[in-house]
Amino acid sequence: MNCLGIESTAHTFGISVVDFNGKILSNEIDMFSVKDGGMIPHEVAEHHRKVCDSVLNRALEKAGTKIEDINLISYSHGPGLSPALIVGKDFAKKLSEENKTDIIGVNHCIAHLTIGTLVTSAKDPVYLYVSGVNTQVIALAGGKFRIFGETLDIGLGNALDKFGREAGLGFPAGPLIEKLAKKGKYIELPYTVKGMDVSFAGLVTKTKQLLDSGNSKEDLCFSMQETCFSMLAEVSERAMAHCEKDELILIGGVGANKRLIQMLEKMCSDRNAKFYSVPLEYAGDQAAMIAWQGILEFKAGKRISEVEIYPYERVDDVKVIWE
Ligand code: AMP
Ligand code: MG
């Protein structure tokens, strides 16, 4: 038995084939990117519409299978940009109707969490989920993934990308910020932690002012990383203590950052906890996680009556039926 996953919540269009035991047979992506500016929803949707057939063919070919031999189709039904979600949903629906395959819709953020425990040996960790839109500290408690802390305004990825846009670093800016940060020195920036919540908007405004007044991009990249990552280490540690869990797993696209990994590793080793980071291929948006989440929920008995999108669904809206 196998499942074809379809991801289309934001910049990435992805298709993956995963077997029901969790073996990832293929995981193909095509990412929307621009040299200047950011993500304009209808442009992202247009990109996804253009690439969906070729990504599908690549994913099937790499998995050594044909669409007729797929047993389940899983798509991300939200949260995300509506025009982009619609492309994935319509594509999933078309494939399921043409091939009379079962179809299931899953929450993108939950899928980020469960792929993390599939590809690492983490069992019941605190999840630090840092992507473009999301920055959340999550743990499983009482049958739900609960959000113990989160950003009060924008996600860290978006904060980095906003700064990147001001500094002319292109989109997504995270990887270049990481590179430039290696040559920077520290400038104090607003550090905002409230309990287990964080805030990045003030810091982004401040970095823009400092950029306009002639500070170097390298110094700002370094200082942004040091400040934001320290905030995340602090709230993750607080959540681990609060939930009495001794594992932390880092997921989401910003999880590619080596400096962030280093700081979290240090925090965990200081408190005798285990730290896991997800291999790069599974850290950011991709469809293996969508296929795997579809398998978990399908096996647990979930069936959908309507093929819909849920652009604002949060992780704590979903009942965990598969544990
Ligand atoms: P996701 O939404 O999970 O795919 O994550 C995308 C976000 O990750 C974007 O905002 C990127 O700028 C950010 N990102 C990717 N690579 C890095 C990196 N090496 N350091 C920091 N942020 C990164
Ligand atoms: Mg994501």
Side-chain angles (χ1 to χ4, degrees):
M1 297 274 280
N2 62 27
C3 174
L4 183 104
I6 301 177
E7 161 58 26
S8 77
T9 54
H11 46 64
T12 299
F13 187 85
I15 297 203
S16 160
V17 181
V18 176
D19 81 13
F20 268 46
N21 297 318
K23 186 162 179 225
I24 298 163
L25 305 173
S26 66
N27 193 21
E28 293 297 304
I29 57 170
D30 193 313
M31 194 174 152
F32 170 84
S33 66
V34 282
K35 286 211 171 61
D36 304 297
M39 274 199 287
I40 299 173
H42 77 264
E43 287 181 8
V44 176
E46 188 53 37
H47 164 266
H48 294 357
R49 229 173 269 119
K50 261 194 211 137
V51 303
C52 59
D53 285 314
S54 69
V55 178
L56 172 68
N57 291 337
R58 276 182 3 231
L60 289 170
E61 197 176 312
K62 283 223 172 131
T65 187
K66 298 193 287 289
I67 189 74
E68 305 82 69
D69 297 328
I70 296 292
N71 306 102
L72 175 67
I73 291 175
S74 174
Y75 69 99
S76 34
H77 66 200
L81 304 169
S82 295
L85 287 170
I86 289 169
V87 178
K89 186 252 308 175
D90 287 348
F91 195 55
K93 195 165 177 224
K94 172 174 151 280
L95 292 175
S96 113
E97 283 170 359
E98 283 173 0
N99 300 285
K100 301 193 172 41
T101 316
D102 279 313
I103 183 168
I104 195 164
V106 300
N107 180 291
H108 170 96
C109 305
I110 298 242
H112 267 300
L113 309 182
T114 55
I115 195 80
T117 39
L118 176 70
V119 301
T120 67
S121 40
K123 286 180 191 66
D124 180 23
V126 165
Y127 298 82
L128 175 59
Y129 172 31
V130 203
S131 68
V133 189
N134 292 290
T135 297
Q136 295 177 326
V137 186
I138 300 169
L140 188 63
K144 276 191 176 182
F145 282 110
R146 303 200 186 257
I147 300 167
F148 287 91
E150 65 187 314
T151 176
L152 298 171
D153 37 59
I154 54 173
L156 179 53
N158 282 2
L160 295 171
D161 294 337
K162 263 178 198 257
F163 167 75
R165 187 156 70 221
E166 298 295 338
L169 306 179
F171 172 85
L176 194 51
I177 291 177
E178 179 170 13
K179 198 168 157 210
L180 294 176
K182 295 205 172 88
K183 295 184 215 130
K185 49 184 196 316
Y186 186 69
I187 304 171
E188 194 168 329
L189 294 175
Y191 181 102
T192 318
V193 168
K194 295 179 182 165
M196 283 183 261
D197 293 329
V198 290
S199 152
F200 300 113
L203 179 139
V204 171
T205 307
K206 183 72 185 175
T207 51
K208 184 179 176 313
Q209 287 165 354
L210 290 168
L211 192 67
D212 291 345
S213 60
N215 287 275
S216 88
K217 286 180 194 175
E218 286 80 1
D219 289 354
L220 289 170
C221 289
F222 176 75
S223 310
M224 240 191 136
Q225 286 200 167
E226 294 304 299
T227 309
C228 298
F229 297 170
S230 305
M231 286 158 57
L232 294 182
E234 180 182 337
V235 295
S236 304
E237 181 167 26
R238 196 160 294 140
M240 290 168 80
H242 177 77
C243 301
E244 298 181 345
K245 301 210 194 247
D246 57 4
E247 297 176 308
L248 176 70
I249 186 167
L250 173 62
I251 50 175
V254 183
N257 191 292
K258 299 267 178 347
R259 177 64 181 144
L260 175 57
I261 291 175
Q262 191 184 41
M263 283 168 75
L264 295 173
E265 253 166 6
K266 171 91 174 55
M267 179 274 284
C268 284
S269 87
D270 286 352
R271 52 181 294 118
N272 282 326
K274 282 198 184 123
F275 173 73
Y276 298 92
S277 68
V278 174
L280 216 53
E281 187 187 354
Y282 305 112
D285 288 357
Q286 29 73 34
M289 65 183 195
I290 304 302
W292 179 237
Q293 186 57 29
I295 293 167
L296 289 174
E297 296 193 31
F298 190 79
K299 276 186 177 169
K302 177 173 147 180
R303 301 293 182 267
I304 58 169
S305 48
E306 269 175 277
V307 182
E308 259 303 346
I309 61 164
Y310 304 97
Y312 302 104
E313 189 182 72
R314 285 165 57 94
V315 301
D316 45 9
D317 292 331
V318 179
K319 205 166 160 212
V320 176
I321 55 167
W322 57 88
E323 283 289 310

